[in-house]
Amino acid sequence: MSNASPDRDGGARERLQRWLPKLVLSPSCVLILFFVYGFIAWTSYISFSDSGMMPDYTWVGLHQWSRLWTSWTWGIALHNIWVFGLLYIVSCIVLGLVLAILLDQRIRAEGVLRTIYLYPMALSFIVTGTAWQWFLNPGLGLEKTMHDLGWQSFSFNWLIDSNMAIYTVVIAAVWQATGFVMAMFLAGLRGIDGEMIKAAQIDGAPGWKIYARIIIPQLRPVFMSAVVVLAHLAIKSFDLIVAMTGGGPGNATAVPATFMYSYAFSRNEMGIAAASAVFMLAVIAALIIPYLYSELREPRS
């Protein structure tokens, strides 16, 4: 009898240790299931309903999706996100890689420069958009400053030019994310085997050829990660665009995120807004799921 009690106590402790993490995490899991996946399911259903200003659960099939894809505003939003996303991803990757290569030369004050480059990523899109809106506003930013300094012919009114406004958003977004991409590439560069580089240098290979044929090909996983992260940020660029241009002038900087917000809260077309939200979710899932699968699958023996 004297040995039974310690055995029971040890078994109880083992069960508690096994179940305690599950008990602690279960409230969070329930909340995530309800407020994330539950609302995803609800939004998906609304996209097939007759909802207008308020939810209407009458099933109408693909009616809202048909209205979405025949809307000229949606076409403009898709064109803008394509232009913005392509320029944003390519510019960030090119600039980030160049900065990472420069910092990888073990230059002086590397820590200070790395901090300076990374600082914009610590800012929210709202702060970044507001700051660049002030800077590029012809009435109080760069153009006015040049006029005050005596350069009266200087003109930089892209922010209010419907043909150029989307490029101002690209400039602000690239400024914010380039440092983050640089940090990703710098970590990748520091993880490359130095013996291979030394062997190539001994063989007399020039520096550009070492980077082109040895170093950069080994950064393929970093390139993939950068593309996925930047594409995700591009689709979620609502805050930046609202702070800088509000989607204007006209619809010059409208993207799917601003389209969804406008139809949900200004035009009282909840069904179309839900359809656009589900489409954005599908695009993000199409990017992230294959990436996660390639990263998490077990290597074949």
mmCIF file of all heavy atoms in Angstrom, residues 146-184:
data_model
loop_
_atom_site.group_PDB
_atom_site.id
_atom_site.type_symbol
_atom_site.label_atom_id
_atom_site.label_comp_id
_atom_site.label_asym_id
_atom_site.label_seq_id
_atom_site.Cartn_x
_atom_site.Cartn_y
_atom_site.Cartn_z
ATOM 1 N N MET A 146 11.351 72.863 -52.815
ATOM 2 C CA MET A 146 12.198 73.300 -53.931
ATOM 3 C C MET A 146 11.814 74.698 -54.404
ATOM 4 O O MET A 146 12.683 75.509 -54.744
ATOM 5 C CB MET A 146 12.067 72.300 -55.093
ATOM 6 C CG MET A 146 12.639 70.928 -54.814
ATOM 7 S SD MET A 146 14.437 70.921 -54.552
ATOM 8 C CE MET A 146 14.504 70.730 -52.764
ATOM 9 N N HIS A 147 10.525 75.013 -54.419
ATOM 10 C CA HIS A 147 10.091 76.353 -54.812
ATOM 11 C C HIS A 147 10.573 77.387 -53.804
ATOM 12 O O HIS A 147 11.004 78.485 -54.181
ATOM 13 C CB HIS A 147 8.566 76.399 -54.936
ATOM 14 C CG HIS A 147 8.043 75.613 -56.101
ATOM 15 N ND1 HIS A 147 6.686 75.411 -56.317
ATOM 16 C CD2 HIS A 147 8.677 74.978 -57.116
ATOM 17 C CE1 HIS A 147 6.517 74.691 -57.412
ATOM 18 N NE2 HIS A 147 7.704 74.408 -57.904
ATOM 19 N N ASP A 148 10.494 77.051 -52.510
ATOM 20 C CA ASP A 148 10.964 77.979 -51.484
ATOM 21 C C ASP A 148 12.465 78.224 -51.573
ATOM 22 O O ASP A 148 12.955 79.296 -51.192
ATOM 23 C CB ASP A 148 10.615 77.442 -50.083
ATOM 24 C CG ASP A 148 9.116 77.427 -49.828
ATOM 25 O OD1 ASP A 148 8.382 78.137 -50.556
ATOM 26 O OD2 ASP A 148 8.673 76.697 -48.914
ATOM 27 N N LEU A 149 13.200 77.219 -52.083
ATOM 28 C CA LEU A 149 14.653 77.372 -52.239
ATOM 29 C C LEU A 149 15.024 78.090 -53.523
ATOM 30 O O LEU A 149 16.210 78.324 -53.778
ATOM 31 C CB LEU A 149 15.318 75.998 -52.207
ATOM 32 C CG LEU A 149 15.257 75.250 -50.866
ATOM 33 C CD1 LEU A 149 15.852 73.858 -51.008
ATOM 34 C CD2 LEU A 149 15.995 76.034 -49.774
ATOM 35 N N GLY A 150 14.030 78.457 -54.329
ATOM 36 C CA GLY A 150 14.291 79.225 -55.535
ATOM 37 C C GLY A 150 14.182 78.462 -56.829
ATOM 38 O O GLY A 150 14.312 79.038 -57.908
ATOM 39 N N TRP A 151 13.952 77.145 -56.782
ATOM 40 C CA TRP A 151 13.828 76.344 -58.000
ATOM 41 C C TRP A 151 12.353 76.321 -58.402
ATOM 42 O O TRP A 151 11.633 75.368 -58.180
ATOM 43 C CB TRP A 151 14.355 74.945 -57.735
ATOM 44 C CG TRP A 151 14.510 74.117 -58.984
ATOM 45 C CD1 TRP A 151 14.154 74.448 -60.251
ATOM 46 C CD2 TRP A 151 15.051 72.787 -59.059
ATOM 47 N NE1 TRP A 151 14.431 73.426 -61.124
ATOM 48 C CE2 TRP A 151 14.993 72.393 -60.422
ATOM 49 C CE3 TRP A 151 15.578 71.908 -58.121
ATOM 50 C CZ2 TRP A 151 15.437 71.158 -60.854
ATOM 51 C CZ3 TRP A 151 16.021 70.677 -58.546
ATOM 52 C CH2 TRP A 151 15.950 70.313 -59.897
ATOM 53 N N GLN A 152 11.899 77.398 -59.027
ATOM 54 C CA GLN A 152 10.488 77.556 -59.331
ATOM 55 C C GLN A 152 9.987 76.606 -60.415
ATOM 56 O O GLN A 152 8.793 76.304 -60.476
ATOM 57 C CB GLN A 152 10.212 79.005 -59.760
ATOM 58 C CG GLN A 152 10.504 80.035 -58.687
ATOM 59 C CD GLN A 152 9.635 79.843 -57.454
ATOM 60 O OE1 GLN A 152 8.474 79.453 -57.554
ATOM 61 N NE2 GLN A 152 10.204 80.116 -56.273
ATOM 62 N N SER A 153 10.880 76.117 -61.267
ATOM 63 C CA SER A 153 10.456 75.235 -62.350
ATOM 64 C C SER A 153 10.336 73.775 -61.914
ATOM 65 O O SER A 153 9.864 72.939 -62.689
ATOM 66 C CB SER A 153 11.454 75.326 -63.517
ATOM 67 O OG SER A 153 12.750 74.905 -63.105
ATOM 68 N N PHE A 154 10.768 73.473 -60.698
ATOM 69 C CA PHE A 154 10.714 72.087 -60.232
ATOM 70 C C PHE A 154 9.261 71.653 -60.062
ATOM 71 O O PHE A 154 8.432 72.374 -59.515
ATOM 72 C CB PHE A 154 11.455 71.943 -58.896
ATOM 73 C CG PHE A 154 11.443 70.546 -58.345
ATOM 74 C CD1 PHE A 154 12.372 69.618 -58.764
ATOM 75 C CD2 PHE A 154 10.475 70.152 -57.426
ATOM 76 C CE1 PHE A 154 12.358 68.320 -58.264
ATOM 77 C CE2 PHE A 154 10.459 68.863 -56.914
ATOM 78 C CZ PHE A 154 11.405 67.944 -57.342
ATOM 79 N N SER A 155 8.970 70.441 -60.528
ATOM 80 C CA SER A 155 7.610 69.920 -60.412
ATOM 81 C C SER A 155 7.668 68.423 -60.122
ATOM 82 O O SER A 155 8.381 67.673 -60.799
ATOM 83 C CB SER A 155 6.835 70.162 -61.713
ATOM 84 O OG SER A 155 5.550 69.577 -61.650
ATOM 85 N N PHE A 156 6.941 68.020 -59.101
ATOM 86 C CA PHE A 156 6.809 66.593 -58.781
ATOM 87 C C PHE A 156 5.415 66.401 -58.179
ATOM 88 O O PHE A 156 5.224 66.411 -56.977
ATOM 89 C CB PHE A 156 7.891 66.152 -57.792
ATOM 90 C CG PHE A 156 8.005 64.659 -57.678
ATOM 91 C CD1 PHE A 156 8.795 63.931 -58.547
ATOM 92 C CD2 PHE A 156 7.292 63.966 -56.709
ATOM 93 C CE1 PHE A 156 8.894 62.555 -58.456
ATOM 94 C CE2 PHE A 156 7.373 62.590 -56.608
ATOM 95 C CZ PHE A 156 8.183 61.885 -57.480
ATOM 96 N N ASN A 157 4.456 66.240 -59.076
ATOM 97 C CA ASN A 157 3.055 66.136 -58.665
ATOM 98 C C ASN A 157 2.477 64.747 -58.912
ATOM 99 O O ASN A 157 1.294 64.590 -59.225
ATOM 100 C CB ASN A 157 2.217 67.188 -59.399
ATOM 101 C CG ASN A 157 2.237 66.984 -60.903
ATOM 102 O OD1 ASN A 157 3.042 66.220 -61.428
ATOM 103 N ND2 ASN A 157 1.350 67.679 -61.604
ATOM 104 N N TRP A 158 3.314 63.725 -58.798
ATOM 105 C CA TRP A 158 2.840 62.366 -59.053
ATOM 106 C C TRP A 158 1.679 61.980 -58.146
ATOM 107 O O TRP A 158 0.805 61.216 -58.553
ATOM 108 C CB TRP A 158 3.988 61.376 -58.837
ATOM 109 C CG TRP A 158 5.016 61.377 -59.917
ATOM 110 C CD1 TRP A 158 5.166 62.313 -60.914
ATOM 111 C CD2 TRP A 158 6.034 60.408 -60.130
ATOM 112 N NE1 TRP A 158 6.224 61.984 -61.720
ATOM 113 C CE2 TRP A 158 6.783 60.816 -61.265
ATOM 114 C CE3 TRP A 158 6.407 59.243 -59.470
ATOM 115 C CZ2 TRP A 158 7.860 60.087 -61.747
ATOM 116 C CZ3 TRP A 158 7.487 58.519 -59.952
ATOM 117 C CH2 TRP A 158 8.197 58.929 -61.079
ATOM 118 N N LEU A 159 1.669 62.503 -56.931
ATOM 119 C CA LEU A 159 0.644 62.092 -55.971
ATOM 120 C C LEU A 159 -0.759 62.456 -56.439
ATOM 121 O O LEU A 159 -1.729 61.776 -56.085
ATOM 122 C CB LEU A 159 0.925 62.730 -54.604
ATOM 123 C CG LEU A 159 0.143 62.181 -53.419
ATOM 124 C CD1 LEU A 159 0.560 60.747 -53.122
ATOM 125 C CD2 LEU A 159 0.362 63.051 -52.172
ATOM 126 N N ILE A 160 -0.898 63.514 -57.220
ATOM 127 C CA ILE A 160 -2.205 63.954 -57.696
ATOM 128 C C ILE A 160 -2.379 63.706 -59.189
ATOM 129 O O ILE A 160 -3.370 64.143 -59.774
ATOM 130 C CB ILE A 160 -2.431 65.448 -57.382
ATOM 131 C CG1 ILE A 160 -1.351 66.306 -58.034
ATOM 132 C CG2 ILE A 160 -2.469 65.681 -55.884
ATOM 133 C CD1 ILE A 160 -1.565 67.804 -57.861
ATOM 134 N N ASP A 161 -1.436 63.014 -59.793
ATOM 135 C CA ASP A 161 -1.518 62.663 -61.209
ATOM 136 C C ASP A 161 -2.064 61.241 -61.312
ATOM 137 O O ASP A 161 -1.441 60.292 -60.824
ATOM 138 C CB ASP A 161 -0.128 62.766 -61.843
ATOM 139 C CG ASP A 161 -0.156 62.522 -63.347
ATOM 140 O OD1 ASP A 161 -1.173 62.009 -63.860
ATOM 141 O OD2 ASP A 161 0.850 62.841 -64.011
ATOM 142 N N SER A 162 -3.205 61.088 -61.958
ATOM 143 C CA SER A 162 -3.849 59.777 -62.018
ATOM 144 C C SER A 162 -2.999 58.746 -62.756
ATOM 145 O O SER A 162 -3.144 57.542 -62.529
ATOM 146 C CB SER A 162 -5.220 59.888 -62.689
ATOM 147 O OG SER A 162 -5.095 60.413 -64.005
ATOM 148 N N ASN A 163 -2.109 59.184 -63.638
ATOM 149 C CA ASN A 163 -1.258 58.252 -64.368
ATOM 150 C C ASN A 163 -0.024 57.828 -63.576
ATOM 151 O O ASN A 163 0.595 56.805 -63.899
ATOM 152 C CB ASN A 163 -0.807 58.871 -65.694
ATOM 153 C CG ASN A 163 -1.967 59.101 -66.643
ATOM 154 O OD1 ASN A 163 -2.866 58.272 -66.756
ATOM 155 N ND2 ASN A 163 -1.957 60.241 -67.323
ATOM 156 N N MET A 164 0.360 58.600 -62.565
ATOM 157 C CA MET A 164 1.603 58.344 -61.837
ATOM 158 C C MET A 164 1.379 58.032 -60.360
ATOM 159 O O MET A 164 2.332 57.647 -59.669
ATOM 160 C CB MET A 164 2.537 59.562 -61.955
ATOM 161 C CG MET A 164 2.856 59.987 -63.375
ATOM 162 S SD MET A 164 3.693 58.691 -64.331
ATOM 163 C CE MET A 164 5.235 58.570 -63.458
ATOM 164 N N ALA A 165 0.159 58.193 -59.867
ATOM 165 C CA ALA A 165 -0.075 58.065 -58.423
ATOM 166 C C ALA A 165 0.294 56.685 -57.903
ATOM 167 O O ALA A 165 0.830 56.549 -56.792
ATOM 168 C CB ALA A 165 -1.540 58.381 -58.108
ATOM 169 N N ILE A 166 0.050 55.628 -58.691
ATOM 170 C CA ILE A 166 0.346 54.275 -58.218
ATOM 171 C C ILE A 166 1.835 54.103 -57.968
ATOM 172 O O ILE A 166 2.250 53.326 -57.092
ATOM 173 C CB ILE A 166 -0.173 53.229 -59.236
ATOM 174 C CG1 ILE A 166 -0.095 51.813 -58.659
ATOM 175 C CG2 ILE A 166 0.584 53.338 -60.533
ATOM 176 C CD1 ILE A 166 -0.996 51.581 -57.485
ATOM 177 N N TYR A 167 2.666 54.846 -58.709
ATOM 178 C CA TYR A 167 4.113 54.719 -58.537
ATOM 179 C C TYR A 167 4.593 55.381 -57.245
ATOM 180 O O TYR A 167 5.625 54.985 -56.700
ATOM 181 C CB TYR A 167 4.833 55.305 -59.750
ATOM 182 C CG TYR A 167 4.437 54.636 -61.038
ATOM 183 C CD1 TYR A 167 3.645 55.296 -61.971
ATOM 184 C CD2 TYR A 167 4.812 53.318 -61.313
ATOM 185 C CE1 TYR A 167 3.259 54.673 -63.149
ATOM 186 C CE2 TYR A 167 4.426 52.688 -62.487
ATOM 187 C CZ TYR A 167 3.647 53.370 -63.401
ATOM 188 O OH TYR A 167 3.247 52.743 -64.552
ATOM 189 N N THR A 168 3.855 56.384 -56.766
ATOM 190 C CA THR A 168 4.210 56.959 -55.470
ATOM 191 C C THR A 168 3.969 55.949 -54.357
ATOM 192 O O THR A 168 4.730 55.884 -53.394
ATOM 193 C CB THR A 168 3.404 58.232 -55.195
ATOM 194 O OG1 THR A 168 2.004 57.922 -55.120
ATOM 195 C CG2 THR A 168 3.611 59.262 -56.295
ATOM 196 N N VAL A 169 2.918 55.153 -54.497
ATOM 197 C CA VAL A 169 2.658 54.099 -53.512
ATOM 198 C C VAL A 169 3.765 53.054 -53.558
ATOM 199 O O VAL A 169 4.212 52.546 -52.521
ATOM 200 C CB VAL A 169 1.279 53.452 -53.764
ATOM 201 C CG1 VAL A 169 0.998 52.370 -52.737
ATOM 202 C CG2 VAL A 169 0.182 54.504 -53.745
ATOM 203 N N VAL A 170 4.239 52.727 -54.760
ATOM 204 C CA VAL A 170 5.347 51.779 -54.903
ATOM 205 C C VAL A 170 6.589 52.309 -54.200
ATOM 206 O O VAL A 170 7.284 51.569 -53.490
ATOM 207 C CB VAL A 170 5.638 51.514 -56.394
ATOM 208 C CG1 VAL A 170 6.890 50.659 -56.547
ATOM 209 C CG2 VAL A 170 4.458 50.835 -57.068
ATOM 210 N N ILE A 171 6.894 53.592 -54.386
ATOM 211 C CA ILE A 171 8.078 54.191 -53.755
ATOM 212 C C ILE A 171 8.014 54.053 -52.237
ATOM 213 O O ILE A 171 8.979 53.632 -51.590
ATOM 214 C CB ILE A 171 8.208 55.675 -54.159
ATOM 215 C CG1 ILE A 171 8.534 55.792 -55.651
ATOM 216 C CG2 ILE A 171 9.282 56.367 -53.330
ATOM 217 C CD1 ILE A 171 8.475 57.220 -56.173
ATOM 218 N N ALA A 172 6.863 54.391 -51.662
ATOM 219 C CA ALA A 172 6.719 54.309 -50.204
ATOM 220 C C ALA A 172 6.819 52.873 -49.719
ATOM 221 O O ALA A 172 7.468 52.595 -48.698
ATOM 222 C CB ALA A 172 5.379 54.929 -49.784
ATOM 223 N N ALA A 173 6.190 51.947 -50.426
ATOM 224 C CA ALA A 173 6.216 50.546 -50.006
ATOM 225 C C ALA A 173 7.615 49.956 -50.110
ATOM 226 O O ALA A 173 8.053 49.203 -49.225
ATOM 227 C CB ALA A 173 5.230 49.734 -50.856
ATOM 228 N N VAL A 174 8.334 50.288 -51.179
ATOM 229 C CA VAL A 174 9.705 49.791 -51.345
ATOM 230 C C VAL A 174 10.604 50.351 -50.254
ATOM 231 O O VAL A 174 11.447 49.641 -49.701
ATOM 232 C CB VAL A 174 10.229 50.154 -52.747
ATOM 233 C CG1 VAL A 174 11.726 49.886 -52.853
ATOM 234 C CG2 VAL A 174 9.477 49.364 -53.812
ATOM 235 N N TRP A 175 10.438 51.616 -49.933
ATOM 236 C CA TRP A 175 11.232 52.237 -48.865
ATOM 237 C C TRP A 175 11.038 51.493 -47.540
ATOM 238 O O TRP A 175 11.996 51.300 -46.788
ATOM 239 C CB TRP A 175 10.822 53.694 -48.711
ATOM 240 C CG TRP A 175 11.472 54.391 -47.554
ATOM 241 C CD1 TRP A 175 12.716 54.946 -47.511
ATOM 242 C CD2 TRP A 175 10.898 54.610 -46.254
ATOM 243 N NE1 TRP A 175 12.962 55.492 -46.270
ATOM 244 C CE2 TRP A 175 11.866 55.307 -45.478
ATOM 245 C CE3 TRP A 175 9.675 54.301 -45.664
ATOM 246 C CZ2 TRP A 175 11.630 55.677 -44.155
ATOM 247 C CZ3 TRP A 175 9.436 54.667 -44.360
ATOM 248 C CH2 TRP A 175 10.403 55.346 -43.621
ATOM 249 N N GLN A 176 9.830 51.053 -47.278
ATOM 250 C CA GLN A 176 9.569 50.388 -46.006
ATOM 251 C C GLN A 176 10.090 48.959 -45.961
ATOM 252 O O GLN A 176 10.625 48.520 -44.940
ATOM 253 C CB GLN A 176 8.069 50.383 -45.707
ATOM 254 C CG GLN A 176 7.735 49.761 -44.354
ATOM 255 C CD GLN A 176 6.278 49.910 -43.986
ATOM 256 O OE1 GLN A 176 5.420 49.849 -44.845
ATOM 257 N NE2 GLN A 176 6.000 50.102 -42.716
ATOM 258 N N ALA A 177 9.965 48.212 -47.040
ATOM 259 C CA ALA A 177 10.232 46.775 -46.987
ATOM 260 C C ALA A 177 11.634 46.370 -47.429
ATOM 261 O O ALA A 177 12.045 45.240 -47.176
ATOM 262 C CB ALA A 177 9.208 46.029 -47.842
ATOM 263 N N THR A 178 12.373 47.269 -48.077
ATOM 264 C CA THR A 178 13.683 46.892 -48.606
ATOM 265 C C THR A 178 14.632 46.433 -47.501
ATOM 266 O O THR A 178 15.382 45.463 -47.668
ATOM 267 C CB THR A 178 14.304 48.062 -49.384
ATOM 268 O OG1 THR A 178 13.481 48.365 -50.517
ATOM 269 C CG2 THR A 178 15.698 47.714 -49.879
ATOM 270 N N GLY A 179 14.624 47.108 -46.367
ATOM 271 C CA GLY A 179 15.513 46.728 -45.269
ATOM 272 C C GLY A 179 15.219 45.329 -44.748
ATOM 273 O O GLY A 179 16.149 44.584 -44.400
ATOM 274 N N PHE A 180 13.953 44.973 -44.705
ATOM 275 C CA PHE A 180 13.591 43.627 -44.253
ATOM 276 C C PHE A 180 14.105 42.562 -45.216
ATOM 277 O O PHE A 180 14.657 41.541 -44.808
ATOM 278 C CB PHE A 180 12.071 43.534 -44.122
ATOM 279 C CG PHE A 180 11.563 42.161 -43.803
ATOM 280 C CD1 PHE A 180 11.779 41.592 -42.564
ATOM 281 C CD2 PHE A 180 10.874 41.430 -44.755
ATOM 282 C CE1 PHE A 180 11.316 40.314 -42.274
ATOM 283 C CE2 PHE A 180 10.404 40.155 -44.486
ATOM 284 C CZ PHE A 180 10.631 39.596 -43.233
ATOM 285 N N VAL A 181 13.948 42.820 -46.522
ATOM 286 C CA VAL A 181 14.462 41.883 -47.521
ATOM 287 C C VAL A 181 15.978 41.810 -47.445
ATOM 288 O O VAL A 181 16.576 40.736 -47.596
ATOM 289 C CB VAL A 181 13.986 42.297 -48.928
ATOM 290 C CG1 VAL A 181 14.550 41.364 -49.989
ATOM 291 C CG2 VAL A 181 12.467 42.306 -48.992
ATOM 292 N N MET A 182 16.619 42.959 -47.213
ATOM 293 C CA MET A 182 18.073 42.973 -47.050
ATOM 294 C C MET A 182 18.498 42.065 -45.906
ATOM 295 O O MET A 182 19.480 41.304 -46.027
ATOM 296 C CB MET A 182 18.545 44.403 -46.777
ATOM 297 C CG MET A 182 20.021 44.536 -46.474
ATOM 298 S SD MET A 182 20.374 45.888 -45.341
ATOM 299 C CE MET A 182 19.667 45.263 -43.812
ATOM 300 N N ALA A 183 17.795 42.121 -44.787
ATOM 301 C CA ALA A 183 18.136 41.275 -43.636
ATOM 302 C C ALA A 183 17.981 39.796 -43.986
ATOM 303 O O ALA A 183 18.802 38.963 -43.554
ATOM 304 C CB ALA A 183 17.251 41.644 -42.450
ATOM 305 N N MET A 184 16.966 39.449 -44.755
ATOM 306 C CA MET A 184 16.787 38.058 -45.167
ATOM 307 C C MET A 184 17.961 37.585 -46.030
ATOM 308 O O MET A 184 18.528 36.505 -45.812
ATOM 309 C CB MET A 184 15.475 37.898 -45.940
ATOM 310 C CG MET A 184 14.223 38.161 -45.116
ATOM 311 S SD MET A 184 12.709 38.076 -46.098
ATOM 312 C CE MET A 184 12.698 36.352 -46.573
#
